[in-house]
Every structure is written in structure tokens, then in C-alpha cells.
């Protein structure tokens, strides 16, 4: 057995520690030692790029690729509004307004009172779908040649409400004017009444059987009320 002095053993240990410390210091100064290629750990985090697979239902993606469209480019998004369905997707919201081609028009029986003539203008849903009407219809008296008699009716006061019409259901608006025999207004006998549903351009023709109507002079104005559910008050 070879005896090593205590001072020599301490020197050896000190030298080894300095070597290890020097190696660690080198790594801390940006010198990286590569042994094998880095391994990718498995997990549930979405990759930052390159994955086009949509997230599963009920989960949110953790990242999204940046848009390639330049700033100020016109949007290509669908302009129709969408509503969220129960399954988490989106469904286009179709317009529910009743169109002229889906409606049938008629004029109800006169309900006179206090020198006024009052006729209900009725719009009935003749289509196979549920639709809505809201506000004032348009109306104009015309002669046999189609020329308008008198000015457009004025709108009476009242708040518009949305009326939902299932197939076969109706909404009505009141058309009123002073009795020409009482008011002394100039009169004419229309051949037809043209009725235009709210927010529509095309009109419906109804044969007018209500007699003479005021077209000029004092108290000759005709008024229309907003549409309400049903066929008459």
C-alpha cells in the first residue's frame, strides 16, 4: 500500500472540482453540447403552425394561423347573419319577411261610425312557410285604366309590431276616410285598390266595391294604420 500524503489528496480533490466547475461555466456562457437530436414530447397542446385539423367539438384551438390577406383587402365573409345551432355549428338565418308573392289581399266589410268610413285591408299568408309582416302597408285607389285617384294615404299614429303569420293566418290594417257626403270632398269611384305589403315593391290588386272615395278638397285625406294580427278589430 502506497501512502499518499494528506496534502496531496486535498490537491487532487480540488483539481477535480475546478474541472467540473469549469465545464458548468462553459455551458452557462452559451456553449451548448449536442449529444442527440431533441425529442418531441407527446401531449395535447396544438402545434403552433402546420396543423389544419379542426379542434374537436367542445374544445377551443390553442393557436390559429395568421391571415394571409393583406390589410384593407375586401372581406369574403358571407353577408347573411348566422345563428348558433344546438350542435355548436352555425346555420344561415333566412329572411322571415312575407313577400308579395306569398300573400293574398282582400278588403273587409265597411264599419262606419261618426262620419267615418272604415275598411280593414287584410293580408293572408298563402305560402307554405311561416313569415312576418311589420308596419304600414301601401295603398292606392286606381281607375279602370290604372291611373291613381287622389293622393297616397297618410299614416295614422301607432307603434309598429312584428306580426308572425303561419300559413293561412292574416294581418289587417285600417283604411279610413271621412264620408264624402258629410265632408263635401270631391269624389271618384275606384275600380281597384292596390295594396303593397311592408318593405315590398310589388303590389296586390283588389276589386273595390266600397263606393266613392274622396280624392280632392277639404277632408279628402285617407289614412292607414299599422298591421295587427287577425282580419278585423
Amino acid at each position: 500500500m502506497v501512502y499518499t500524503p494528506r496534502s496531496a489528496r486535498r490537491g487532487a480533490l480540488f483539481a477535480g472540482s475546478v474541472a467540473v466547475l469549469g465545464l458548468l461555466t462553459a455551458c452557462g456562457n452559451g456553449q451548448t453540447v449536442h449529444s442527440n437530436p431533441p425529442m418531441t414530447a407527446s401531449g395535447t397542446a396544438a402545434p403552433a403552425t402546420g396543423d389544419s385539423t379542426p379542434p374537436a367539438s367542445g374544445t377551443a384551438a390553442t393557436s390559429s394561423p395568421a391571415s394571409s390577406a393583406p390589410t384593407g383587402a375586401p372581406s369574403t365573409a358571407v353577408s347573411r347573419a348566422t345563428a348558433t345551432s344546438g350542435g355548436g355549428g352555425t346555420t344561415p338565418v333566412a329572411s322571415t319577411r312575407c313577400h308579395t308573392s306569398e300573400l293574398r289581399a282582400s278588403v273587409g266589410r265597411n264599419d262606419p261610425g261618426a262620419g267615418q268610413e272604415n275598411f280593414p285591408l287584410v293580408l293572408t299568408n298563402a305560402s307554405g312557410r311561416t313569415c312576418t309582416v311589420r308596419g304600414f302597408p301601401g295603398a292606392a285607389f286606381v281607375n279602370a285604366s290604372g291611373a291613381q285617384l287622389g293622393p297616397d294615404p297618410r299614416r295614422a299614429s301607432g307603434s309598429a309590431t312584428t306580426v308572425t303569420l303561419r300559413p293561412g293566418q292574416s294581418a289587417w290594417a285600417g283604411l279610413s276616410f271621412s264620408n264624402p257626403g258629410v265632408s263635401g270632398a270631391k269624389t271618384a269611384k275606384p275600380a281597384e285598390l292596390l295594396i303593397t305589403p311592408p318593405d315590398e315593391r310589388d303590389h296586390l290588386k283588389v276589386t273595390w266595391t266600397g263606393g266613392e272615395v274622396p280624392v280632392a278638397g277639404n277632408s279628402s285625406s285617407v289614412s292607414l294604420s299599422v298591421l295587427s294580427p287577425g282580419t278585423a278589430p
Side-chain angles (χ1 to χ4, degrees):
M1 178 177 179
V2 179
Y3 174 77
T4 303
R6 180 178 298 177
S7 59
R9 284 180 290 171
R10 287 180 177 176
L13 291 173
F14 178 77
S17 298
V18 170
V20 172
L21 180 59
L23 180 59
L24 293 176
T25 302
C27 293
N29 288 333
Q31 299 178 8
T32 305
V33 178
H34 296 282
S35 58
N36 292 309
M39 299 182 65
T40 302
S42 61
T44 57
T49 58
D51 187 5
S52 60
T53 304
S57 176
T59 63
T62 57
S63 65
S64 59
S67 173
S68 59
T71 303
S75 172
T76 57
V78 177
S79 61
R80 286 191 301 175
T82 57
T84 302
S85 64
T90 57
T91 303
V93 177
S95 171
T96 59
R97 188 178 82 238
C98 295
H99 300 294
T100 302
S101 60
E102 299 175 305
L103 297 170
R104 182 177 69 252
S106 60
V107 178
R109 186 183 61 183
N110 184 19
D111 184 23
Q116 287 285 112
E117 308 300 321
N118 306 295
F119 295 87
L121 308 187
V122 181
L123 294 175
T124 301
N125 182 3
S127 74
R129 74 179 184 105
T130 298
C131 59
T132 62
V133 292
R134 178 184 176 86
F136 296 87
F141 293 110
V142 297
N143 61 21
S145 300
Q148 183 170 339
L149 303 174
D152 293 337
R154 62 179 178 83
R155 293 180 174 183
S157 59
S159 300
T161 59
T162 300
V163 182
T164 300
L165 301 179
R166 293 186 176 87
Q169 291 185 328
S170 303
W172 72 277
L175 183 146
S176 302
F177 53 85
S178 296
N179 186 304
V182 176
S183 67
K186 182 179 179 180
T187 65
K189 188 174 182 179
E192 295 176 320
L193 176 65
L194 308 184
I195 302 175
T196 308
D199 300 315
E200 292 290 303
R201 293 183 179 274
D202 297 330
H203 57 258
L204 299 164
K205 294 181 179 181
V206 179
T207 300
W208 180 256
T209 59
E212 295 190 347
V213 301
V215 294
N218 296 330
S219 302
S220 61
S221 64
V222 178
S223 66
L224 274 173
S225 67
V226 295
L227 286 161
S228 301
T231 57

